Every structure is written in C-alpha cells, then in structure tokens.
Amino acid sequence: MYKTLIKPLLFLMPAERAHYFTASIMRSVFTWPIFRNVLKSLYSKESPDLRKELFGLSFKNPVGLAAGFDKNAELFHMMDVLGFGFVEVGTVTPRPQGGNPQPRLFRLPKDEGLINRMGFNNGGVEAMKKRLQKKSRNLIVGVNIGKNKDTPLEKAVDDYVYCFEQLFDEADYFVVNVSSPNTPNLRALQDKEPLKNILSAICAINYKKQSPKPLLLKIAPDLSEGQLDDIIEISQDLKLDGLIATNTTISRDGLNTSSDRIEEIGNGGLSGKPVKRRSTEVIRYIHEKSKGAIRIIGVGGIQKGEDAKEKLEAGASLVQVYSGFVYEGPGMVKRILNELLN
C-alpha cells in the first residue's frame, strides 16, 4: 500500500514538507494504543537469532535508523514499533539553529537517492535532553553530536564536549559527526590533528565516568585511503568503540538524474542507492586494514536484505537506514530482517 498509494501522494509534496507531514501523522496515530499495537504486529520482527551484543549493549536486531531522520528526538519512541533495533537521533548542536535556507531536501527518484543541505537544523541540546529523559529503557538510542555553524573551527571541541556532557545520562551511545558536507568547513575537522583534539577531549571525560558510554565517529565516503588510515590509527590509539561508515557524499558520479536537474539542485550531501557501493568499499577497507579490530556500523544505500547482508559481509556489525526508509516505507525493516534470517 505504501508504494502504490501513500508514497505517490507524499512525493507530490516538497520533500521536507512531506517529512514533517509524515511525522505529524505518526505522532497523532501513536497517541492511540490500539494503533500502536496494530503497527507493531504488522512491522516488528522478534527472533533470538537477530539479537546483537555490541559496545556493551544488547540490540534486539541489527537494523537501526540513521541520524538525520529524527533530528530533535521527537519520533524515536515510535521507531521501535516499526521494527528498528535502535535509533540514532540528531545531529544536535549546543544551541538551536535553523539550518540552511529552504528548499534544502531533494529527491532523486530515478536514482532512489536524496540530496540534502539541511545544515544541522535542530532545537538544541536542552530541548533534546527533555525529550530523551522520557525514553523507554527497552529502546537503544544513540545521540549524534555536532557544532553550531557560527562556532569557529578552533573552538569546535567546546561544542562537542558540551553536547556530550549535557546528554551523557540520556544517550546509550554517542556519535561524533565531523563529516556532514552542509556546515561550512566542518569536514576539515576530519583532518588528523583537529580530529584527534576533539576525540581526545571527549575520551578524557568519558573515561573518568563510572560507566563510560560507547563513543563512535561518523566518517565521509569521500576520504582517501591515506585519510582512512589516519582515522584507523586515531580510533585505535584512543580506543574508540567504533566507526559509522558512511555519511553522505559530495560526489555526483554515475547518476541517472539529468545533469540539468543536478545543477538546479546545487550543493548538498547525496545519500541512498548512489552511495551504496562506496560505503561498502570504505567498510571493507577499514575492516581489512584493522584486521577486524574496529567495530563498524554500515550505512548507505540499504533497501533490501541483500544490501544489509553486503554491508555485514564487508565487515559491519550493525547497519542503519534513512533514504531507503523514504523509498521503501515502514515495511522495509521487517522485510530486511526476514531476508537476513533466511
């Protein structure tokens, strides 16, 4: 029903408006326990064979919702009903910010991809903290943290540390995001020295805690092998819990969408099917180079069970979806889980 009726109607709306419309409908539906129960029976899949133990956490299944869909932690409690094994909220910044001017989210139906230049639009740490305090203990929720647009790069570490400290009690794990292409110069923080400074500062605080939280780094698919080698070295030196591979790409190679349309859309990070191959290459490179020592959450172009299996076989321990959820609908997670079981 999603692909034949709901999706065509949603795709008549601008992409960002469709997202907020869908979120509004979900919030309305989830106020009724009877509808929650019906949706859970339709879309959830429970099996001991799907469980994963990782980072000291117990995941009911290996398929999670990637950061970006639930930026303000407003929908995470609904995703358990739709079958997700875990949810990553954010990216959150210390202070609220509106993000980049609209339009800033675009569909590429011919490529089953999305281009976004949202720019970390979010309500800030304080608003997220209040919402996460109400989360169920049964759902694993990671928090993806970033810096405010107007924070100078040389002070970026302060923003990451602030988000980490303020949300420490609410998050099950943290992800440092220095790989979005939509905040000016943010990707410069992936260079060896600034990246090491940010991660070292967070690790120093984390290791002093009685129960440290798993800390991961989200990386871009556009890194060279030399840059990946630096990240592997830093990850091992600082004993990071893992990497998320990968964020969106700035590449536009091999698209079926016309070059005129791509030029009209302009800048932004490309996700979905077009990034599938490269994200798998990055996962495989990290896994082989680290001899399997680095845990990886794989994301990029996952729509079916075979896509998830490809990431897992390349070296990922868990996977996340976002664009595939837009194109495949709420039944996607259960279909992927059934395929993985079979």
Side-chain angles (χ1 to χ4, degrees):
M1 187 168 104
Y2 176 79
K3 285 190 173 182
T4 57
L5 179 61
I6 298 174
K7 179 180 162 185
L9 291 174
L10 290 175
F11 274 43
L12 291 174
M13 303 180 194
E16 188 170 355
R17 187 187 301 171
H19 173 80
Y20 290 125
F21 174 77
T22 303
S24 176
I25 295 295
M26 288 175 66
R27 280 193 291 267
S28 298
V29 167
F30 274 74
T31 59
W32 297 86
I34 187 171
F35 288 124
R36 288 201 302 270
N37 293 335
V38 168
L39 290 172
K40 189 162 188 175
S41 68
L42 286 173
Y43 298 125
S44 288
K45 180 72 178 181
E46 301 283 345
S47 169
D49 294 331
L50 290 170
R51 298 197 72 85
K52 286 273 192 175
E53 304 294 326
L54 199 69
F55 314 133
L57 302 171
S58 182
F59 296 81
K60 70 173 185 176
N61 71 60
V63 181
L65 182 66
F69 190 90
D70 188 12
K71 290 179 178 293
N72 290 307
E74 296 173 311
L75 307 171
F76 65 89
H77 56 288
M78 307 176 196
M79 296 304 160
D80 176 52
V81 173
L82 296 182
F84 287 99
F86 62 107
V87 177
E88 193 172 307
V89 298
T91 300
V92 65
T93 56
R95 291 171 282 110
Q97 60 181 28
N100 294 321
Q102 298 187 29
R104 54 193 180 182
L105 180 62
F106 309 88
R107 307 182 192 93
L108 305 184
K110 292 181 180 178
D111 295 285
E112 294 183 85
L114 300 172
I115 290 176
N116 92 82
R117 51 171 176 271
M118 305 300 287
F120 289 174
N121 57 305
N122 74 101
V125 160
E126 290 305 315
M128 178 176 283
K129 186 173 185 176
K130 291 176 183 176
R131 295 190 182 103
L132 288 180
Q133 286 170 344
K134 301 175 183 177
K135 83 178 182 70
S136 164
R137 291 183 181 180
N138 297 324
L139 178 63
I140 292 176
V141 178
V143 176
N144 187 297
I145 58 177
K147 82 170 192 72
N148 280 111
K149 183 178 180 179
D150 59 1
T151 300
L153 289 184
E154 59 270 20
K155 293 186 177 181
V157 63
D158 297 336
D159 278 14
Y160 287 95
V161 166
Y162 181 83
C163 291
F164 181 78
E165 290 188 309
Q166 291 299 311
L167 295 169
F168 184 85
D169 292 333
E170 280 65 53
D172 291 304
Y173 71 87
F174 282 93
V175 179
V176 173
N177 186 356
V178 291
S179 53
S180 169
N182 302 315
T183 295
N185 302 315
L186 183 76
R187 284 191 170 192
L189 297 176
Q190 290 182 118
D191 292 343
K192 191 171 185 178
E193 287 310 310
L195 180 59
K196 196 167 185 177
N197 289 339
I198 291 170
L199 294 173
S200 296
I202 297 175
C203 285
I205 297 167
N206 198 27
Y207 295 151
K208 289 179 182 177
K209 301 285 188 179
Q210 186 174 358
S211 299
K213 293 292 172 76
L215 180 65
L216 294 87
L217 172 69
K218 189 165 187 175
I219 62 174
D222 309 305
L223 299 174
S224 66
E225 287 189 359
Q227 290 173 307
L228 288 174
D229 289 341
D230 286 342
I231 284 172
I232 291 170
E233 179 186 329
I234 291 170
S235 300
Q236 293 181 320
D237 287 348
L238 296 178
K239 296 180 173 58
L240 292 187
D241 292 276
L243 299 173
I244 297 186
T246 62
N247 211 322
T248 58
T249 180
I250 56 174
S251 171
R252 299 293 187 264
D253 294 340
L255 294 177
N256 296 312
T257 304
S258 71
S259 56
D260 288 344
R261 175 56 179 156
I262 295 300
E263 187 175 345
E264 178 188 359
I265 290 172
N267 296 331
L270 172 64
S271 63
K273 259 191 178 179
V275 79
K276 174 186 166 184
R277 180 178 175 183
R278 177 56 184 163
S279 71
T280 302
E281 289 173 352
V282 171
I283 291 165
R284 184 174 288 111
Y285 184 87
I286 293 168
H287 181 70
E288 292 178 355
K289 195 80 173 181
S290 72
K291 295 181 172 57
I294 296 177
R295 298 295 187 183
I296 304 167
I297 297 179
V299 55
I302 297 172
Q303 295 185 338
K304 298 177 288 188
E306 63 186 64
D307 302 327
K309 187 178 179 183
E310 178 184 284
K311 296 282 192 284
L312 296 170
E313 289 179 345
S317 299
L318 303 170
V319 297
Q320 291 177 330
V321 300
Y322 180 169
S323 301
F325 190 49
V326 173
Y327 281 93
E328 295 295 315
M332 179 191 67
V333 177
K334 189 173 184 178
R335 288 194 295 271
I336 289 175
L337 296 176
N338 281 328
E339 290 179 51
L340 289 178
L341 282 173
N342 292 333

